[in-house]
Amino acid sequence: MKSLVVYYSRTGITRTVSQYVAEALCADVEELIDTKNRKGPLGFVLAGKDAALKKLVPIEPPKTNPAEYDLVILASPVWANTMSSAIRAYLTKHGKEIRAAALLSTTHTSGIAESQRDMRALLGCEVIAAAGFRQKSVKRGEHIAALDAFIGNCKASSPAEQA
Ligand SMILES: Cc1cc2nc3c(=O)[nH]c(=O)nc-3n(C[C@H](O)[C@H](O)[C@H](O)COP(=O)(O)O)c2cc1C
């Protein structure tokens, strides 16, 4: 199974989750770079505003082609009850090129279902696995069992595995 993990992370939580999955699936990794400055309190407020308005922000051009992969895992922090702006920009441009997807979200407390509903709407394919984690659980390492189950679902449900 040829897999790609595409993620955006502002403060490292989604990166931690994404790197674990990439290692377990021997996947290639695409870290999305939001060209807007998201640092500090002002960056936080503007990020929330961009996400709430569902703005398409410029991201650096991806280095990988999602159409070349059996499975693309998309990982985003929840921003304003939806996906981060960089993931929205990526999915708006490339969502319909993805052949099979799996979704990962990280959050402070809530918004996983809403965020993943919005991500699904930008895809033209089946979502074979989905999971979401609170940042507190990730920091404490309490998410690992559920993340391993997600990885197991990716392996079991991949169209390439069933072929
Ligand atoms: C702009 C912004 C908006 C956010 N909105 C929400 C939200 O609506 N609900 C929530 O529970 N957490 C929210 N969070 C918290 C993040 O989802 C959470 O801290 C996430 O794990 C951060 O991931 P990262 O370290 O990969 O950037 C928000 C964070 C940012 C920066």
Side-chain angles (χ1 to χ4, degrees):
M1 173 177 68
K2 195 176 174 199
S3 307
L4 173 68
V5 176
V6 178
Y7 77 92
Y8 170 78
S9 183
R10 177 175 172 268
T11 52
I13 302 292
T14 314
R15 180 179 299 114
T16 298
V17 172
S18 299
Q19 286 175 342
Y20 185 92
V21 171
E23 204 166 307
L25 293 176
C26 299
D28 291 340
V29 177
E30 179 79 56
E31 178 178 7
L32 300 183
I33 309 295
D34 187 331
T35 59
K36 281 199 175 182
N37 184 0
R38 302 300 188 187
K39 290 186 184 139
L42 183 62
F44 178 93
V45 171
L46 294 178
K49 199 174 158 200
D50 284 351
L53 294 173
K54 301 188 173 9
K55 266 199 185 167
L56 294 179
V57 300
I59 56 172
E60 287 188 8
K63 297 172 193 70
T64 52
N65 177 0
E68 290 175 3
Y69 292 85
D70 302 311
L71 176 65
V72 179
I73 296 110
L74 297 144
S76 176
V78 172
W79 278 10
N81 244 21
T82 187
M83 72 197 87
S84 58
S85 299
I87 289 284
R88 179 178 296 283
Y90 181 85
L91 284 180
T92 300
K93 189 153 184 211
H94 300 289
K96 298 287 191 282
E97 297 161 20
I98 294 170
R99 290 169 10 207
L103 306 181
L104 281 171
S105 305
T106 73
T107 182
H108 184 257
T109 46
S110 60
I112 290 167
E114 295 85 349
S115 172
Q116 294 187 351
R117 175 202 61 206
D118 292 352
M119 290 165 84
R120 283 169 195 266
L122 295 174
L123 289 162
C125 66
E126 192 190 355
V127 173
I128 64 165
F133 305 100
R134 289 189 177 196
Q135 62 174 43
K136 201 164 65 178
S137 306
V138 176
K139 281 182 183 164
R140 292 176 179 167
E142 293 165 357
H143 66 303
I144 292 296
L147 191 53
D148 283 342
F150 169 89
I151 290 162
N153 287 340
C154 287
K155 287 180 177 164
S157 312
S158 163
E161 294 299 306
Q162 289 165 11

